[in-house]
Amino acid sequence: MRRLLTTIFSCSLLLLAACGEQRLPVEIRFAAYYADSEVSCLENNSGIGLSDLRFFVHDVRLQTADGGEARLTLTPEPGWQTDSVALIDLENAGHGCINGSLETNIRLQGTVPAGTYDGLSFRVGVPDVLNHADPLYAEAPLSQTAMHWHWRSGYKFMRAGVRQGDDGAWLHLGSAGCQGTIGNLSGCERANRPTVRLPGFDAQRHAVALDLQRLFAASSLRDGLIDSCQMGPDEELCDGIAMALGLDLADGSSAGPAKAFKTVDFRQ
C-alpha cells in the first residue's frame, strides 16, 4: 500500500510539473518577395508576378540569445498544419497562378516554453518518415495531390514560379533518386531538405520572406525561354537554385546558408 501511495504521489508531482510549464503561443508569418518588393499572382509595377509558391515546413525552432533553442510545437490546424508539418501557400490561383488553389495560408502556429527568443530556424520539406505515404490516405495538408511527386514516390517540398510577360522560371523541389514505390521505399540518394536559419528573427515584428529574385538568380526573365528545375543533375537552372537554398546538388545535403530566405518587417 505504501509503495502504491508513493507511486501515485510521484506521478502527481510529474503531472503538476507538466501542467505548470508555461507555454508561449507563437505565430510565424511568411511572404513572397522579388528583391525589395512583395509579389503576388498579380503582376507588380515591374511586370513581375508569381506563377506558383507553396512549400512545406517542419522542424521549426526558436533560438535564444545564449545559444540555446526550443522546438516549436505545431498546433494542428485543419487543412494546413499537423503537429509535425505545415504547408505555406502564397498563391491564390488568380491571374498567372493558374494551377493553384483559391485558399492561401501565410502562417504557421505553435507554442514554445516561455522565454526570450531572437532567432528562427526551420527545414523546408516533408519529414522523411512521412514523405513516402500515399496522399490519397494522408491527413491534410499531405492529402494535397498537387504537392505530390507520384513518379518520385514522394512530395514536392516546394512549388515555386515567377514570371515576367511571356517569360518565367519554375521549381519543383523534392527528394530525388528514391528507390522503390509508395509505402515501400528503401531510401533516397538526395534528401533535398534545405535548412533555413534567420538570426535576429522576432516573430512579433518579422515575417519570413522567400525572395524569388534570389531563388531564380540564374534564370533570365528576358530571353523568351521558360526555365525549369526538378532537381535533376543535368538541369542547368538547378545549380543556381541549389546554391540559393544552401543545398549540395550532388548529394542533397545542406551545404550552406539558404540565402533565398530572408527576414522582413511584417506588414499589417
Side-chain angles (χ1 to χ4, degrees):
M1 182 68 177
R2 179 178 297 176
R3 181 177 297 176
L4 176 61
L5 290 174
T6 301
T7 301
I8 293 174
F9 180 70
S10 299
C11 291
S12 298
L13 288 178
L14 289 173
L15 287 172
L16 286 173
C19 293
E21 182 187 47
Q22 292 185 336
R23 304 288 298 183
L24 180 70
V26 176
E27 180 178 281
I28 309 294
R29 292 156 293 203
F30 290 78
Y33 267 65
Y34 192 89
D36 296 325
S37 301
E38 284 195 73
V39 288
S40 66
C41 295
L42 178 65
E43 296 88 346
N44 63 18
N45 292 334
S46 299
I48 300 292
L50 296 177
S51 57
D52 206 342
L53 190 50
R54 291 169 273 182
F55 52 93
F56 289 106
V57 172
H58 70 285
D59 192 18
V60 185
R61 301 167 187 257
L62 297 183
Q63 277 72 50
T64 61
D66 61 3
E69 65 178 15
R71 185 187 296 271
L72 184 73
T73 300
L74 296 179
T75 303
E77 183 177 352
W80 298 111
Q81 188 171 296
T82 68
D83 61 0
S84 56
V85 64
L87 176 63
I88 303 302
D89 188 337
L90 299 173
E91 55 75 41
N92 63 4
H95 303 282
C97 299
I98 58 175
N99 293 315
S101 59
L102 293 174
E103 298 81 10
T104 63
N105 182 42
I106 68 167
R107 65 182 186 177
L108 59 82
Q109 299 180 85
T111 63
V112 292
T116 302
Y117 300 96
D118 65 349
L120 170 70
S121 70
F122 60 88
R123 299 193 73 184
V124 176
V126 175
D128 185 66
V129 69
L130 299 174
N131 189 38
H132 305 296
D134 190 330
L136 297 179
Y137 302 98
E139 180 182 2
L142 296 179
S143 58
Q144 294 204 23
T145 55
M147 294 299 296
H148 195 267
W149 230 342
H150 192 78
W151 62 282
R152 281 188 167 166
S153 303
Y155 285 89
K156 296 174 184 175
F157 301 159
M158 176 185 289
R159 293 176 59 119
V162 66
R163 70 186 198 284
Q164 185 175 37
D166 294 330
D167 208 338
W170 57 267
L171 161 70
H172 288 176
L173 172 71
S175 291
C178 301
Q179 306 297 319
T181 57
I182 292 176
N184 188 30
L185 263 288
S186 59
C188 299
E189 295 176 1
R190 300 183 297 282
N192 291 334
R193 293 181 179 86
T195 298
V196 180
R197 294 184 175 88
L198 298 172
F201 185 90
D202 181 350
Q204 295 295 319
R205 60 189 183 93
H206 291 147
V208 178
L210 177 57
D211 188 335
L212 279 298
Q213 185 186 55
R214 295 182 182 180
L215 184 66
F216 294 113
S219 176
S220 170
L221 298 182
R222 300 178 182 277
D223 61 2
L225 300 174
I226 297 179
D227 299 315
S228 66
C229 169
Q230 298 188 74
M231 300 312 293
D234 300 322
E235 296 175 278
E236 184 176 346
L237 181 61
C238 292
D239 289 333
I241 286 176
M243 185 176 298
L245 292 175
L247 288 174
D248 185 325
L249 189 59
D251 63 12
S253 64
S254 291
K259 295 182 179 180
F261 287 89
K262 62 186 182 183
T263 297
V264 297
D265 290 334
F266 176 70
R267 300 176 182 176
Q268 298 289 343

